[in-house]
Amino acid sequence: MRRKNFLNAIFVAALLALPTMGAAQTILTVSTPEQSATYTLEDLLRLPQTTVLTKNDYVDTAATFQGPRLRTVLEPLNVAPDATLKMVALNDFSSNVPAIDAFDYDVILAVLRDGEQMSVRNKGPIWVIYPMDDHAELQDNSFNGRLVWQLKSIAVE
């Protein structure tokens, strides 16, 4: 009888631990030569959110993207507008982006598309999105390479 109670107690403890067993996984690292910050999906969702309704060369119709502004993750690290941001994707694709874009436009680190989290297969979990429909100059082809999907890190250079 004692053994059965002991096993039941272990079973209940294991069930109670299930929601907390998997620690939140870092999905973004932002680094400068002096410091760095890491973010989980939950961290990014806790930051003030911006919604951008736009289309680009990689979506067929306008979509609603949501996430924190890029400048929101740069400001705590004191990133200057004249810096260069090396954006790196999960597949190691990289794009050098002028930091001034984050200060001149509401560039977001989109974590939701049309209200849903984006899987890696669907350009997530983070997609750098510019408000292309709001600014004619952003519709230039030079901005397409700055729409980094599957973003994993930003190195300030």
Side-chain angles (χ1 to χ4, degrees), residues 20-93:
T20 60
M21 283 177 73
Q25 182 179 0
T26 296
I27 62 169
L28 177 66
T29 302
V30 183
S31 60
T32 70
E34 296 81 30
Q35 57 188 332
S36 68
T38 59
Y39 296 89
T40 64
L41 176 62
E42 293 77 17
D43 293 334
L44 293 173
L45 287 168
R46 277 194 291 272
L47 293 172
Q49 300 291 293
T50 298
T51 300
V52 173
L53 174 63
T54 193
K55 60 183 178 293
N56 60 49
D57 286 356
Y58 307 105
V59 294
D60 293 329
T61 61
T64 301
F65 296 94
Q66 178 185 318
R69 288 183 178 108
L70 175 56
R71 69 176 160 263
T72 300
V73 301
L74 298 178
E75 286 171 343
L77 299 174
N78 299 312
V79 175
D82 63 348
T84 298
L85 309 175
K86 182 177 182 180
M87 305 273 197
V88 181
L90 291 173
N91 66 359
D92 292 326
F93 168 84

Coordinates of all heavy atoms in Angstrom, one line a residue, residues 20-93:
T20 N 5.8 23.3 -16.6 CA 7.0 24.1 -16.4 C 8.2 23.3 -16.8 O 9.3 23.9 -16.6 CB 7.0 24.4 -14.9 OG1 7.1 23.2 -14.1 CG2 5.9 25.3 -14.5
M21 N 8.1 22.1 -17.3 CA 9.3 21.3 -17.5 C 10.1 21.9 -18.7 O 11.4 22.0 -18.6 CB 8.9 19.9 -17.9 CG 8.6 19.1 -16.7 SD 8.1 17.4 -17.1 CE 9.6 16.7 -17.6
G22 N 9.5 22.4 -19.7 CA 10.3 23.0 -20.8 C 10.6 24.4 -20.6 O 9.7 25.2 -20.7
A23 N 11.8 24.8 -20.3 CA 12.1 26.2 -20.1 C 12.0 26.9 -21.4 O 12.2 26.3 -22.5 CB 13.6 26.3 -19.6
A24 N 11.6 28.2 -21.3 CA 11.4 29.0 -22.5 C 12.7 29.0 -23.3 O 13.7 29.2 -22.7 CB 10.9 30.4 -22.1
Q25 N 12.6 28.8 -24.5 CA 13.7 28.8 -25.4 C 14.1 30.1 -26.0 O 13.2 30.9 -26.5 CB 13.5 27.8 -26.5 CG 14.6 27.6 -27.5 CD 14.3 26.6 -28.6 OE1 13.2 26.0 -28.6 NE2 15.2 26.4 -29.4
T26 N 15.3 30.5 -26.0 CA 15.8 31.8 -26.6 C 15.6 31.6 -28.1 O 16.1 30.7 -28.7 CB 17.3 32.0 -26.2 OG1 17.4 32.2 -24.8 CG2 17.8 33.3 -27.0
I27 N 14.9 32.7 -28.7 CA 14.8 32.6 -30.1 C 15.5 33.8 -30.8 O 15.6 33.9 -32.0 CB 13.3 32.6 -30.5 CG1 12.5 33.9 -30.1 CG2 12.6 31.3 -30.1 CD1 11.1 34.0 -30.6
L28 N 15.9 34.8 -30.0 CA 16.6 35.9 -30.6 C 17.7 36.4 -29.6 O 17.5 36.5 -28.4 CB 15.6 37.1 -30.8 CG 16.2 38.4 -31.3 CD1 16.8 38.2 -32.7 CD2 15.2 39.5 -31.3
T29 N 18.9 36.7 -30.2 CA 20.0 37.3 -29.5 C 20.4 38.6 -30.2 O 20.5 38.6 -31.4 CB 21.2 36.3 -29.5 OG1 20.9 35.1 -28.8 CG2 22.4 37.0 -28.7
V30 N 20.5 39.6 -29.4 CA 20.9 40.9 -29.9 C 22.2 41.3 -29.2 O 22.2 41.3 -28.0 CB 19.8 42.0 -29.7 CG1 20.2 43.4 -30.3 CG2 18.4 41.6 -30.2
S31 N 23.2 41.6 -30.0 CA 24.5 41.8 -29.4 C 25.2 43.0 -30.0 O 25.1 43.3 -31.2 CB 25.4 40.6 -29.5 OG 25.6 40.3 -30.8
T32 N 26.0 43.7 -29.1 CA 26.9 44.8 -29.5 C 28.3 44.3 -29.1 O 28.4 43.3 -28.4 CB 26.5 46.1 -28.8 OG1 26.9 46.0 -27.4 CG2 25.1 46.5 -28.9
P33 N 29.3 45.0 -29.4 CA 30.6 44.6 -28.9 C 30.7 44.6 -27.4 O 31.5 43.8 -26.8 CB 31.6 45.6 -29.5 CG 30.9 46.0 -30.8 CD 29.4 46.1 -30.4
E34 N 29.9 45.3 -26.7 CA 30.0 45.5 -25.3 C 29.0 44.6 -24.5 O 29.3 44.2 -23.3 CB 29.8 46.9 -24.8 CG 30.8 47.9 -25.3 CD 30.5 48.4 -26.7 OE1 29.4 48.4 -27.2 OE2 31.5 48.7 -27.4
Q35 N 27.9 44.3 -25.1 CA 26.8 43.6 -24.3 C 25.9 42.8 -25.2 O 25.9 43.0 -26.4 CB 26.0 44.6 -23.5 CG 25.4 45.7 -24.3 CD 24.8 46.8 -23.4 OE1 24.4 46.6 -22.3 NE2 24.8 48.0 -24.0
S36 N 25.0 42.0 -24.6 CA 24.0 41.3 -25.4 C 22.7 41.1 -24.6 O 22.7 41.2 -23.4 CB 24.5 40.0 -25.9 OG 24.7 39.1 -24.9
A37 N 21.7 40.8 -25.3 CA 20.4 40.5 -24.7 C 19.8 39.3 -25.5 O 20.0 39.2 -26.7 CB 19.5 41.7 -24.8
T38 N 19.1 38.5 -24.7 CA 18.4 37.4 -25.3 C 16.9 37.5 -25.1 O 16.5 38.0 -24.1 CB 18.9 36.0 -24.8 OG1 18.7 36.0 -23.4 CG2 20.4 35.8 -25.1
Y39 N 16.1 36.9 -26.0 CA 14.7 37.0 -25.9 C 14.0 35.6 -26.2 O 14.5 35.0 -27.2 CB 14.1 38.0 -26.9 CG 14.5 39.4 -26.6 CD1 15.7 39.9 -27.2 CD2 13.8 40.3 -25.8 CE1 16.1 41.2 -26.9 CE2 14.2 41.6 -25.6 CZ 15.4 42.0 -26.1 OH 15.8 43.3 -25.9
T40 N 13.0 35.3 -25.5 CA 12.2 34.2 -25.8 C 11.0 34.7 -26.5 O 10.8 35.9 -26.6 CB 11.7 33.4 -24.5 OG1 10.9 34.3 -23.8 CG2 12.9 32.9 -23.7
L41 N 10.2 33.9 -27.1 CA 8.9 34.3 -27.7 C 8.1 35.1 -26.7 O 7.5 36.1 -27.0 CB 8.2 33.1 -28.3 CG 6.8 33.5 -28.9 CD1 6.9 34.4 -30.1 CD2 6.1 32.2 -29.3
E42 N 8.0 34.5 -25.5 CA 7.2 35.2 -24.5 C 7.7 36.6 -24.1 O 7.0 37.5 -23.9 CB 7.2 34.3 -23.2 CG 6.4 33.0 -23.4 CD 7.2 31.9 -24.2 OE1 8.5 32.0 -24.3 OE2 6.5 31.0 -24.6
D43 N 9.1 36.7 -24.1 CA 9.7 38.0 -23.9 C 9.3 39.0 -24.9 O 8.9 40.2 -24.7 CB 11.2 38.0 -23.9 CG 11.8 37.2 -22.7 OD1 11.2 37.1 -21.6 OD2 12.9 36.6 -22.9
L44 N 9.3 38.6 -26.2 CA 9.0 39.5 -27.3 C 7.5 39.8 -27.3 O 7.1 41.0 -27.6 CB 9.3 38.8 -28.6 CG 10.8 38.7 -28.9 CD1 11.1 37.9 -30.2 CD2 11.5 40.0 -29.0
L45 N 6.6 38.9 -26.9 CA 5.2 39.2 -26.8 C 4.9 40.1 -25.6 O 3.9 40.8 -25.6 CB 4.4 37.9 -26.7 CG 4.3 37.1 -27.9 CD1 3.8 35.7 -27.7 CD2 3.5 37.8 -29.0
R46 N 5.7 40.1 -24.6 CA 5.5 41.0 -23.4 C 5.9 42.5 -23.7 O 5.5 43.4 -23.0 CB 6.3 40.6 -22.2 CG 5.6 39.5 -21.4 CD 6.2 39.3 -20.1 NE 7.5 38.7 -20.1 CZ 7.7 37.4 -20.1 NH1 6.7 36.5 -20.1 NH2 8.9 36.9 -20.2
L47 N 6.7 42.7 -24.7 CA 7.1 44.1 -25.1 C 5.9 44.8 -25.8 O 5.0 44.1 -26.3 CB 8.3 44.0 -26.1 CG 9.6 43.5 -25.5 CD1 10.6 43.3 -26.6 CD2 10.1 44.4 -24.5
P48 N 5.9 46.1 -25.8 CA 4.8 46.8 -26.5 C 4.7 46.3 -27.9 O 5.7 46.2 -28.6 CB 5.2 48.3 -26.4 CG 6.1 48.3 -25.2 CD 6.8 47.0 -25.1
Q49 N 3.5 46.0 -28.4 CA 3.3 45.5 -29.7 C 2.9 46.5 -30.7 O 2.1 47.5 -30.4 CB 2.2 44.4 -29.6 CG 2.6 43.2 -28.7 CD 3.7 42.4 -29.2 OE1 3.6 41.7 -30.2 NE2 4.9 42.4 -28.5
T50 N 3.3 46.4 -31.9 CA 2.9 47.2 -33.0 C 2.4 46.3 -34.1 O 2.9 45.2 -34.4 CB 4.1 48.0 -33.6 OG1 4.6 48.9 -32.6 CG2 3.8 48.8 -34.8
T51 N 1.3 46.8 -34.7 CA 0.7 46.0 -35.8 C 0.9 46.7 -37.1 O 0.8 47.9 -37.2 CB -0.8 45.9 -35.6 OG1 -1.0 45.2 -34.3 CG2 -1.5 45.1 -36.7
V52 N 1.3 46.0 -38.1 CA 1.6 46.5 -39.4 C 0.8 45.7 -40.5 O 0.9 44.5 -40.5 CB 3.1 46.4 -39.8 CG1 3.4 46.8 -41.2 CG2 3.9 47.3 -38.8
L53 N -0.1 46.4 -41.2 CA -0.8 45.8 -42.3 C -0.1 46.1 -43.6 O 0.0 47.3 -43.9 CB -2.3 46.3 -42.3 CG -3.1 45.8 -43.5 CD1 -3.3 44.3 -43.5 CD2 -4.5 46.5 -43.5
T54 N 0.5 45.1 -44.2 CA 1.3 45.4 -45.4 C 1.4 44.2 -46.3 O 1.1 43.1 -45.8 CB 2.7 45.9 -45.0 OG1 3.3 46.5 -46.1 CG2 3.5 44.8 -44.4
K55 N 1.8 44.4 -47.5 CA 2.2 43.3 -48.3 C 3.7 43.5 -48.7 O 4.2 44.6 -48.6 CB 1.3 43.1 -49.5 CG 1.2 44.3 -50.5 CD 0.2 44.1 -51.6 CE 0.0 45.2 -52.5 NZ -0.5 46.4 -52.0
N56 N 4.3 42.4 -49.2 CA 5.7 42.5 -49.7 C 5.8 41.5 -50.8 O 4.9 40.8 -51.1 CB 6.7 42.4 -48.5 CG 6.6 41.1 -47.8 OD1 6.6 40.0 -48.4 ND2 6.5 41.2 -46.5
D57 N 7.0 41.4 -51.3 CA 7.2 40.4 -52.4 C 7.1 39.0 -52.0 O 7.2 38.1 -52.8 CB 8.6 40.7 -53.0 CG 8.7 41.9 -53.9 OD1 7.6 42.6 -54.0 OD2 9.8 42.2 -54.4
Y58 N 7.0 38.7 -50.7 CA 7.0 37.3 -50.2 C 5.6 36.8 -49.7 O 5.5 35.7 -49.2 CB 8.0 37.1 -49.1 CG 9.4 37.6 -49.6 CD1 9.9 38.8 -49.2 CD2 10.1 36.9 -50.5 CE1 11.1 39.3 -49.6 CE2 11.3 37.3 -51.0 CZ 11.8 38.5 -50.5 OH 13.0 39.0 -51.0
V59 N 4.6 37.7 -49.8 CA 3.2 37.3 -49.4 C 2.3 37.7 -50.6 O 2.6 38.7 -51.2 CB 2.7 37.9 -48.1 CG1 3.5 37.4 -46.9 CG2 2.8 39.5 -48.1
D60 N 1.3 36.9 -50.8 CA 0.4 37.1 -52.0 C -0.5 38.3 -51.8 O -0.8 39.1 -52.7 CB -0.4 35.9 -52.3 CG 0.5 34.7 -52.8 OD1 1.5 35.0 -53.5 OD2 0.2 33.6 -52.6
T61 N -1.0 38.4 -50.6 CA -1.9 39.5 -50.2 C -1.5 40.2 -49.0 O -0.6 39.7 -48.2 CB -3.4 39.0 -50.0 OG1 -3.4 38.1 -49.0 CG2 -3.9 38.3 -51.3
A62 N -2.0 41.4 -48.7 CA -1.6 42.1 -47.5 C -2.0 41.2 -46.3 O -3.0 40.5 -46.2 CB -2.4 43.4 -47.4
A63 N -1.1 41.3 -45.3 CA -1.2 40.5 -44.1 C -1.0 41.4 -42.9 O -0.4 42.5 -43.0 CB -0.2 39.3 -44.0
T64 N -1.6 41.0 -41.8 CA -1.4 41.8 -40.5 C -0.3 41.1 -39.7 O -0.4 40.0 -39.3 CB -2.7 41.8 -39.7 OG1 -3.7 42.4 -40.5 CG2 -2.5 42.6 -38.4
F65 N 0.8 41.9 -39.5 CA 1.9 41.4 -38.7 C 2.0 42.1 -37.4 O 1.7 43.3 -37.3 CB 3.2 41.6 -39.5 CG 3.3 40.9 -40.8 CD1 3.0 41.5 -42.0 CD2 3.8 39.6 -40.8 CE1 3.0 40.8 -43.2 CE2 3.9 38.9 -42.0 CZ 3.5 39.5 -43.2
Q66 N 2.4 41.4 -36.4 CA 2.4 42.0 -35.0 C 3.7 41.6 -34.3 O 4.1 40.4 -34.4 CB 1.2 41.5 -34.2 CG 1.3 42.1 -32.8 CD 0.1 41.5 -31.9 OE1 -1.0 41.4 -32.4 NE2 0.5 41.1 -30.7
G67 N 4.3 42.5 -33.6 CA 5.5 42.3 -32.8 C 6.0 43.6 -32.3 O 5.5 44.6 -32.6
P68 N 7.1 43.5 -31.5 CA 7.7 44.7 -31.0 C 8.5 45.5 -32.1 O 8.9 44.9 -33.1 CB 8.7 44.2 -29.9 CG 9.0 42.8 -30.4 CD 7.8 42.3 -31.1
R69 N 8.6 46.8 -32.0 CA 9.4 47.6 -32.9 C 10.8 47.1 -32.7 O 11.3 46.9 -31.6 CB 9.2 49.0 -32.6 CG 7.9 49.6 -33.0 CD 7.9 51.1 -32.7 NE 6.6 51.7 -33.2 CZ 5.7 52.1 -32.3 NH1 5.9 52.1 -31.0 NH2 4.6 52.6 -32.8
L70 N 11.5 47.1 -33.8 CA 13.0 46.8 -33.8 C 13.7 47.8 -32.9 O 14.6 47.4 -32.1 CB 13.5 46.9 -35.2 CG 15.0 46.7 -35.4 CD1 15.5 45.4 -34.7 CD2 15.4 46.8 -36.8
R71 N 13.4 49.1 -32.9 CA 14.0 50.0 -32.0 C 13.8 49.7 -30.6 O 14.7 50.1 -29.7 CB 13.7 51.4 -32.4 CG 12.3 51.9 -32.1 CD 12.1 53.4 -32.5 NE 10.7 53.7 -32.6 CZ 10.1 53.8 -33.8 NH1 10.7 53.6 -34.9 NH2 8.8 54.1 -33.8
T72 N 12.7 49.1 -30.2 CA 12.5 48.7 -28.8 C 13.5 47.7 -28.3 O 13.9 47.8 -27.1 CB 11.1 48.1 -28.7 OG1 10.1 49.1 -29.1 CG2 10.8 47.7 -27.2
V73 N 14.0 46.8 -29.1 CA 15.1 45.9 -28.6 C 16.5 46.5 -28.8 O 17.4 46.1 -28.2 CB 15.0 44.5 -29.3 CG1 13.7 43.9 -29.0 CG2 15.3 44.6 -30.8
L74 N 16.6 47.6 -29.6 CA 17.9 48.2 -29.8 C 18.2 49.3 -28.7 O 19.3 49.4 -28.3 CB 18.0 48.9 -31.2 CG 17.9 48.0 -32.4 CD1 17.9 48.8 -33.7 CD2 18.9 46.9 -32.4
E75 N 17.2 50.0 -28.3 CA 17.4 51.1 -27.4 C 18.0 50.7 -26.1 O 18.9 51.4 -25.6 CB 16.1 51.8 -27.2 CG 15.7 52.7 -28.4 CD 14.3 53.3 -28.3 OE1 13.5 52.8 -27.5 OE2 14.1 54.2 -29.1
P76 N 17.7 49.6 -25.4 CA 18.3 49.2 -24.2 C 19.8 49.0 -24.3 O 20.6 49.0 -23.3 CB 17.6 47.9 -23.7 CG 16.3 47.9 -24.4 CD 16.6 48.7 -25.7
L77 N 20.3 48.7 -25.5 CA 21.7 48.4 -25.8 C 22.4 49.7 -26.3 O 23.5 49.6 -26.7 CB 21.8 47.2 -26.8 CG 21.3 45.9 -26.3 CD1 21.4 44.9 -27.4 CD2 22.0 45.4 -25.0
N78 N 21.7 50.8 -26.3 CA 22.2 52.1 -26.7 C 22.8 52.0 -28.2 O 23.9 52.6 -28.4 CB 23.3 52.6 -25.8 CG 22.7 52.8 -24.4 OD1 21.7 53.4 -24.2 ND2 23.4 52.3 -23.4
V79 N 22.0 51.4 -29.1 CA 22.4 51.3 -30.5 C 22.2 52.7 -31.1 O 21.1 53.2 -31.1 CB 21.7 50.2 -31.2 CG1 22.0 50.2 -32.7 CG2 22.0 48.9 -30.5
A80 N 23.2 53.2 -31.8 CA 23.1 54.5 -32.5 C 22.5 54.3 -33.8 O 22.7 53.2 -34.5 CB 24.5 55.1 -32.6
P81 N 21.8 55.3 -34.3 CA 21.2 55.2 -35.6 C 22.2 55.0 -36.8 O 21.8 54.5 -37.8 CB 20.5 56.6 -35.8 CG 20.2 57.0 -34.4 CD 21.4 56.5 -33.6
D82 N 23.4 55.4 -36.6 CA 24.4 55.2 -37.7 C 25.1 53.8 -37.7 O 26.0 53.5 -38.5 CB 25.5 56.3 -37.6 CG 26.3 56.3 -36.4 OD1 26.0 55.6 -35.4 OD2 27.3 57.0 -36.3
A83 N 24.6 52.9 -36.8 CA 25.2 51.6 -36.7 C 24.7 50.7 -37.9 O 23.7 51.1 -38.6 CB 24.9 50.9 -35.4
T84 N 25.3 49.6 -38.1 CA 24.9 48.6 -39.1 C 24.4 47.4 -38.3 O 25.1 46.9 -37.3 CB 26.0 48.2 -40.1 OG1 26.3 49.4 -40.8 CG2 25.5 47.1 -41.0
L85 N 23.3 46.8 -38.7 CA 22.8 45.6 -38.0 C 23.0 44.4 -38.9 O 22.4 44.4 -40.0 CB 21.3 45.8 -37.7 CG 20.9 47.1 -37.0 CD1 19.3 47.2 -36.9 CD2 21.5 47.1 -35.6
K86 N 23.7 43.4 -38.4 CA 23.8 42.2 -39.2 C 22.7 41.3 -38.7 O 22.8 40.7 -37.6 CB 25.2 41.6 -39.0 CG 25.4 40.3 -39.9 CD 26.8 39.7 -39.7 CE 26.9 38.5 -40.6 NZ 28.2 37.9 -40.5
M87 N 21.7 41.1 -39.6 CA 20.6 40.2 -39.3 C 20.9 38.9 -39.8 O 21.2 38.7 -41.0 CB 19.3 40.8 -40.0 CG 19.0 42.2 -39.7 SD 18.0 42.3 -38.2 CE 17.3 43.9 -38.4
V88 N 20.8 37.8 -38.9 CA 21.1 36.5 -39.3 C 19.9 35.6 -39.1 O 19.3 35.6 -38.0 CB 22.3 36.0 -38.5 CG1 22.7 34.5 -38.9 CG2 23.5 36.9 -38.7
A89 N 19.6 34.8 -40.1 CA 18.5 33.8 -40.1 C 18.9 32.5 -39.6 O 20.2 32.2 -39.6 CB 17.9 33.7 -41.5
L90 N 18.0 31.6 -39.3 CA 18.3 30.3 -38.9 C 19.1 29.5 -39.9 O 19.9 28.6 -39.5 CB 17.0 29.5 -38.6 CG 16.2 30.0 -37.4 CD1 14.8 29.2 -37.3 CD2 16.9 29.8 -36.1
N91 N 19.0 29.8 -41.2 CA 19.7 29.1 -42.2 C 21.1 29.8 -42.5 O 21.7 29.5 -43.5 CB 18.9 28.9 -43.5 CG 18.6 30.2 -44.2 OD1 19.0 31.3 -43.7 ND2 17.9 30.1 -45.3
D92 N 21.4 30.7 -41.6 CA 22.7 31.5 -41.7 C 22.7 32.6 -42.8 O 23.7 33.2 -43.1 CB 23.9 30.6 -41.8 CG 24.1 29.9 -40.5 OD1 23.8 30.5 -39.4 OD2 24.6 28.8 -40.5
F93 N 21.5 32.7 -43.5 CA 21.4 33.9 -44.4 C 21.6 35.1 -43.6 O 21.2 35.2 -42.4 CB 20.0 33.9 -45.1 CG 19.7 35.2 -45.8 CD1 20.2 35.4 -47.1 CD2 19.0 36.2 -45.1 CE1 19.9 36.6 -47.7 CE2 18.8 37.5 -45.8 CZ 19.2 37.6 -47.1

